[in-house]
Amino acid sequence: ASLKPTDETTLFTSAGMQLLVPWFRGIVPPTHPRVATCQKCFRADDINEVGRTPRHMTFFEMLGNFSFSDYFKEGAIEFAWELFHDVLKLPTERLWFTVYTDDDEAEEIWHKRIGIPKERILRCGRSDNFWPKAQWEGPCGPCREIHIDLGEQLTCGRDDCRVNCDCDRYLELWNLVFMQFNRDADGTMSPLPKPSIDTGMGLERISAVMQGVQSNYDCDLLRGIIAYVEELSGKRYGDDAAHDMSMRVIADHSRATAFLIADGVLPSNEGRGYVLRRIMRRAARHAKMLGFAEPVLYRTATFVLQSMADAYPEPAQRADYVARIVKLEEERFIQTLDNGLRILTEEVERLKAAGANTLPGGVAFKLYDTFGFPLDLTADILRSENVIIDEQGFEACMEEQRQKAREHWKGSGEEAIAGIYRQLAEEGIKSFFTGYDTLSDRSDILAILVDGQTVASAPEGAKVEIVTAATPFYGESGGQTGDHGTITTADARVSVRDTRKPLPDLLVHVGEVASGTLRTGDAATLEVDAERRRATALNHTATHLLQAALIEVLGDHVKQAGSLVTPERLRFDFVHFSAMTPQELDKVETLVNCRIRQNAGVDTREMAHEEAVGAGATALFGEKYGEKVRVVRVGDISMELCGGTHAQASGDIGLFKILQETGIAAGVRRIEAVTGAKALEVIKDQERTLDHLANLIKTDRPQLETRLRKLLERQKELEREVESLQGRLNADQAGDLLRQAVAIDGVSVVCGRVDNLDGKALRELADQVRERMTSGVLVLGSAHDGKAGLLVAVTKDLTRRLQAGALVKQLAAMVGGGGGGRPDLAQAGGSKPELLGEALASVPQVITEALNAA
């Protein structure tokens, strides 16, 4: 089930039972009396502890078995014991069992039926053995827990250290909840109609126990991600406590980020999106602490989905989409992270110099408002400096901003309008649009503006803004660009290059006086560029057809997120969570053209806003609408509230062709398309390209695909031949290199230069040598394409004494570069291939120094 529950009263799926609540309550009949699950879950209650402790995580997988009026206490306890004792074979002497304070029945089952000594069965109160512990509206009940003693080495040292202590010695493995009650909003508990069983066990916890490690992060579910971070960073887990914590944070937050986005949560400033943004920014900060200057979380998130694809195939199919969303968010935050950290560092130094330990709320607010630092991220950074935040001061700044926003919102529509336009409106100057019915009209010139000031006249060559009492010119709004054309008086001619609509009742013609002198009060003839208007209208109607087709192909979640309609093309932005497939694009394009051929009539009429919405009309362009709205209906295909100009029938569009579909923001896609003559022109260009390609490979257009396939197959054959020859050459080179091996302090070292090999070829050659090395170090260097390449390999038996990553980093510095990798294999590059010989000559000294330091 998704991490984004359908129940909007909760932000995330935080427990395995959450999706089964209707079954527990008896609202929906269970489809099965017994259910077992492995459910992905997300909790952000202790986000700042993630990475610091061995147990805290945001994303985890919850194992559970559930009974809906089938088995109850006895069955749940017997199943638990069978799993722990017979299947997992956990040592009984290390297990502890807790029951609710007055649950005699559960204790009897553990003691008499299972055989657990009474001294290992503990009674605990509501805070420990009633689930859920926090206030919860819904099914609940007393629980029985199984804990394991991980050893005295993890004890807190207190005399009263025992089960439920805050230290890491006693680990809760499984919670068996006896769902007996339903808690109302006011806290009142009433018996459930059918008592049930809800159990939960963290997969990460039990994996760590079974694998003999003492931290969730050391089990194989997370260790692989940490190893990937090691590979990317060139740092080794276990060498530095601060780096270890950063790697744990990135591992956990990468899992949470990947699955939240795959399930439809997008980073934002509210709700689920805000929580996601918090963990992404916390991960980005720890990536910087590991030395990453460029985005990396998008790579680790992709690795997560790929490595967990067997268990979760659907999210893995969205890996590319997830990576794009994450990278975009990372790039945005990285731009401000350095500046924010610099300000925070300076402020901490100032506080320490003054002997203070409280960061002013105003500084914390500036970091939040200007640099995107969530308050808890700032607190997390300050924790190591023993500095706290003046949270009351922060809240005061937040409230001040909210008040300003409210005041700005109240004044928007007046304060945001340029003073001169407001002044014209106050003087009673306004325009009436006549362009729905005509492209030519006569009217008086009410105002002329030059450089933002009203003037009585404007000479030839003057850049002007003109307001007339009536105009057929459409002012830019709703995504449709303004009309072009001419305004002519008895003494002047104006070339109109744009038309704007700064106020609902004010249309402004922007242009240049082409000849004569223009005067206020003159009678004028206004002529819209008919061809340009017609092309714009065709694209606007096509936009309505496009949205309808997108909803039909992709789903009702598609919403308009912006548009641009010009004579040349249309652009439509819409909410959708992944890139459209070629098949989807083809369906949309085919559907739009089918509806064009239907030649459906375009009907426009005014009606009351409520009436229009009630009839099913939707707002295409997100405009502010008054009591009366204009409804544009294209046959039975679409019905939109729209103030733009349109074709008379869908058939007027002629042809619709999609140019491209791209992503422009998190969860927002963009389609660009052309219609009519422009669409035909695009198709002709594509045909010319096909003809050109056909001529290049000496064939005709119908045979182009067949001919290309044959050429590609031939290319693959040649590549295989080259690979085979390279393999033989590598084998010969490997033998030559092994014969050059020297002993350094008892370690066999093979060092050689093999020019004109790229990184992949170096690795392939290294594999040939390593297959024939039982123990030793291999160092290869190659000058290729004006760059120096280096590779260091260390056999497994020597990695405690010699680290490939450290060796290659030291050698790379000599050729003007850097690099890293795993302890047994690392690569690097440099910009100074002329120094490669010197670097390779220093290998004996570098290895000797490393051995002496080990």
Side-chain angles (χ1 to χ4, degrees), residues 331-395:
E331 288 171 342
R332 289 172 174 169
F333 185 52
I334 286 174
Q335 291 173 1
T336 60
L337 180 59
D338 287 338
N339 289 332
L341 288 174
R342 176 180 52 78
I343 287 175
L344 191 54
T345 300
E346 292 172 354
E347 191 64 28
V348 169
E349 291 175 353
R350 188 189 66 77
L351 288 173
K352 288 183 175 180
N357 71 336
T358 302
L359 184 77
V363 176
F365 178 76
K366 180 180 180 182
L367 290 168
Y368 165 80
D369 192 45
T370 305
F371 300 105
F373 280 40
L375 186 64
D376 56 358
L377 174 60
T378 302
D380 193 29
I381 297 171
L382 293 175
R383 189 191 302 258
S384 60
E385 302 288 346
N386 294 318
V387 174
I388 61 175
I389 299 173
D390 173 16
E391 294 193 19
Q392 287 187 341
F394 176 84
E395 285 300 325

Side-chain angles (χ1 to χ4, degrees), residues 109-128:
I109 297 171
W110 278 122
H111 176 56
K112 291 188 175 180
R113 186 168 184 85
I114 304 300
I116 303 300
K118 276 203 171 185
E119 60 268 21
R120 301 195 75 80
I121 304 173
L122 308 176
R123 298 217 181 200
C124 300
R126 180 175 292 271
S127 62
D128 293 312

